[in-house]
Amino acid sequence: MTIDDILAAGAPPVVAILRGVKPDEVVAIGEALVDAGIRLIEVPLNSPEPLEGIRRLVEAVGDRALCGAGTVLEPESVDAVKAVGGVLIVTPNTNAAVISRAVSLGMEPMPGFATPTEAFIAAAAGARRLKLFPAVGYGTGYLKAIREVLPKGVQTWAVGGTGAGNIDEWLEAGCEGLGVGGGIYKAGDSAGVVGERARAIVAAWKAIA
């Protein structure tokens, strides 16, 4: 399963970021996300026992959603995520070694970038999807300017300050999708709360799709 597969099947272009989720919470939250229509889920590696959380998430919803890790900083972490069944590799920065390791293992890297230089480094390392982070600090005009020079076939996603209230602005600016953290999940939130927020984001996307 790839991001292309997920999007082609009609799922919203939204990565749910579960920063701070605990392994004993992640299955119920993952099920709530999938029930709401979200099919891309990341557990940041600075969460409690993140690899165990990813393993449980993959076992529970991996046949319906593409799961993986966020805040991946080292190539060795890519290997560890692969070992527990994760596919998605999201980073806050541009690290060519992390990107190329993920590509070599058939995984889906989504590296963070802030400048055109970083965007081109990420693309050269094999990334097909880049994450503008923190998006709210740069704005849609900045993204549009960078998109004009990116290689053909390289997509951008906005992460940081994104959610149901501005998904239309980012997609209209040329983003393929969004990563949503606090707008979907904050540490300690129940599965019910997460489901409600996820449904609101999916509804906002459907309203403009």
Side-chain angles (χ1 to χ4, degrees):
M1 187 187 301
T2 66
I3 295 176
D4 286 340
D5 295 332
I6 295 288
L7 300 183
V14 174
V15 177
I17 303 168
L18 306 183
R19 190 177 307 280
V21 71
K22 298 176 181 177
D24 61 0
E25 303 168 323
V26 76
V27 171
I29 289 170
E31 291 284 4
L33 289 168
V34 170
D35 287 347
I38 302 292
R39 297 288 189 272
L40 299 166
I41 308 172
E42 70 162 91
V43 175
L45 292 184
N46 57 357
S47 302
E49 299 181 76
L51 295 173
E52 176 63 14
I54 295 167
R55 185 188 67 77
R56 294 188 189 186
L57 187 64
V58 169
E59 287 183 355
V61 302
D63 59 335
R64 292 166 285 161
L66 190 71
C67 308
T71 317
V72 181
L73 303 177
E74 303 166 339
E76 293 78 10
S77 295
V78 178
D79 298 337
V81 174
K82 175 76 171 180
V84 295
V87 177
L88 188 62
I89 295 293
V90 185
T91 77
N93 61 344
T94 305
N95 185 323
V98 169
I99 297 165
S100 60
R101 180 71 64 85
V103 171
S104 72
L105 293 175
M107 302 171 82
E108 291 271 359
M110 189 180 288
F113 80 96
T115 67
T117 297
E118 292 172 344
F120 276 94
I121 290 171
R128 295 178 48 236
R129 291 180 166 90
L130 313 179
K131 151 189 159 181
L132 177 63
F133 177 78
V136 69
Y138 292 94
T140 56
Y142 183 80
L143 175 77
K144 288 179 181 178
I146 289 179
R147 282 189 50 78
E148 290 180 357
V149 299
L150 287 179
K152 184 178 180 180
V154 173
Q155 299 289 344
T156 52
W157 290 54
V159 182
T162 53
N166 59 12
I167 188 172
D168 56 337
E169 298 173 20
W170 288 106
L171 295 185
E172 288 169 6
C175 274
E176 184 180 36
L178 305 181
V180 182
I184 281 185
Y185 174 80
K186 296 183 180 71
D189 284 343
S190 68
V193 168
V194 172
E196 289 178 7
R197 291 181 184 146
R199 285 190 291 274
I201 291 171
V202 172
W205 169 69
K206 287 182 176 178
I208 59 175

